[in-house]
């Protein structure tokens, strides 16, 4: 930020290794989530109140790298003390967000989770919202994911992971045995299974000492991933070779 003007909260590095700002960046808070859409646009969420000086960009905005311009997504987030923790791109290109917010874009019931229709450019509810399910505080944790069948998996504070199958919310597994029986992140494995990090010591009745478990979508069976307790990973990601990486050692959350 000392060498790149306007690198306020967000910067991008070109393939040539050059850092540059995205317009004038963000103000009023931090960036917690970035995702590149199928349309080549960057979708950005966090606790910021303004992006690029554009109105109605409270906690959520999009940046067009070709036009070098920020723009709003509807009227932004509602509620007080809110933030967007995670952004995921659906197989059809729609943008899904989770966090602590109410009435995203002014849409009643778009609480804690919402879907942005990239064609109609409108916010939509996902069922009837989540009734405060999301932990979402101060930018830590919470990484959602999509399954191979298009189902949406969302971590949060209800001792489980919630699954949206397109019409209904259900809970998969029960997290127990820890001081904070919360799920923080999920990722789709190369075998189609759902990997989950959590603060408990068991999931679905199966011991999980490393605080990472995987769920077989077909058999509904949970299996522990690892046996060494190194704290709770707050983010999970697979590389192209199928190796799983976890970031964020959070022993205080166990």
């Amino acid at each position: 930020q000392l060498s790149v003007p306007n690198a306020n909260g967000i910067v991008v590095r070109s393939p040539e290794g050059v850092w540059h700002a995205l317009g004038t960046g963000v103000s009023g808070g931090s960036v917690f989530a970035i995702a590149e859409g199928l349309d080549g646009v960057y979708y950005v969420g966090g606790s910021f109140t303004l992006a690029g000086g554009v109105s109605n960009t409270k906690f959520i905005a999009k940046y067009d790298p070709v036009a070098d311009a920020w723009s709003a997504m509807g009227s932004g987030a509602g509620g007080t003390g809110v933030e967007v923790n995670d952004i995921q791109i659906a197989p059809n290109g729609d943008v899904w967000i989770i966090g602590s917010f109410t009435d995203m874009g002014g849409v009643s019931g778009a609480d804690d989770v919402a879907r942005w229709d990239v064609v109609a450019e409108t916010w939509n509810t996902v069922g009837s919202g989540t009734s405060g399910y999301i932990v979402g505080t101060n930018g830590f944790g919470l990484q959602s994911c999509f399954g191979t069948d298009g189902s949406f998996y969302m971590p949060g504070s209800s001792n489980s992971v919630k699954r949206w199958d397109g019409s209904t919310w259900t809970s998969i597994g029960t997290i127990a045995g820890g001081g904070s029986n919360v799920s923080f992140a999920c990722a789709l494995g190369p075998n189609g299974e759902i990997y989950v990090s959590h603060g408990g010591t068991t999931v679905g009745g199966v011991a999980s000492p490393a605080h990472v478990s995987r769920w077989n979508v077909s058999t509904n069976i949970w299996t522990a991933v690892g046996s060494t307790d190194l704290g709770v990973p707050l983010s999970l990601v697979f590389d192209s070779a199928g190796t799983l990486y976890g970031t964020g050692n959070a022993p205080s959350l166990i």
Side-chain angles (χ1 to χ4, degrees):
Q1 291 191 197
L2 297 177
S3 60
V4 180
N6 294 319
N8 301 312
I10 184 169
V11 290
V12 63
R13 185 178 187 272
S14 72
E16 294 75 29
V18 178
W19 289 98
H20 63 86
L22 280 68
T24 57
V26 302
S27 60
S30 302
V31 170
F32 298 147
I34 306 171
E36 182 180 4
L38 301 184
D39 52 6
V41 170
Y42 297 121
Y43 294 89
V44 181
S47 62
F48 55 85
T49 56
L50 208 61
V54 177
S55 60
N56 294 323
T57 54
K58 181 181 179 182
F59 309 129
I60 186 72
K62 58 180 180 177
Y63 176 81
D64 186 333
V66 176
D68 186 24
W70 288 95
S71 58
M73 300 170 68
S75 58
T80 59
V82 300
E83 59 196 32
V84 170
N85 293 94
D86 184 52
I87 302 172
Q88 296 290 331
I89 307 301
N92 69 347
D94 283 354
V95 180
W96 290 57
I97 65 172
I98 64 173
S100 299
F101 52 80
T102 56
D103 296 346
M104 175 59 68
V107 177
S108 178
D111 303 336
D112 301 331
V113 57
R115 176 180 64 86
W116 172 258
D117 187 317
V118 294
V119 176
E121 294 194 325
T122 56
W123 285 108
N124 297 268
T125 60
V126 181
S128 58
T130 60
S131 301
Y133 179 74
I134 286 295
V135 176
T137 55
N138 302 319
F140 79 80
L142 300 188
Q143 171 193 326
S144 54
C145 65
F146 281 94
T148 55
D149 63 350
S151 291
F152 180 70
Y153 295 85
M154 186 178 72
S157 61
S158 191
N159 294 3
S160 67
V161 175
K162 278 204 169 187
R163 177 192 188 195
W164 174 257
D165 63 6
S167 60
T168 306
W169 283 108
T170 56
S171 294
I172 60 171
T174 298
I175 301 168
S180 179
N181 296 321
V182 174
S183 54
F184 293 98
C186 68
L188 175 64
N191 55 2
E193 294 183 324
I194 303 299
Y195 287 70
V196 176
S197 70
H198 51 84
T201 56
T202 66
V203 180
V206 178
S208 182
H211 305 288
V212 179
S213 303
R214 56 189 172 93
W215 184 63
N216 187 302
V217 179
S218 300
T219 63
N220 196 28
I221 293 175
W222 285 95
T223 306
V225 178
S227 58
T228 303
D229 180 1
L230 299 175
V232 181
L234 301 182
S235 178
L236 298 173
V237 64
F238 283 90
D239 66 13
S240 59
T243 300
L244 176 65
Y245 293 81
T247 66
N249 179 2
S252 64
L253 299 176
I254 300 173

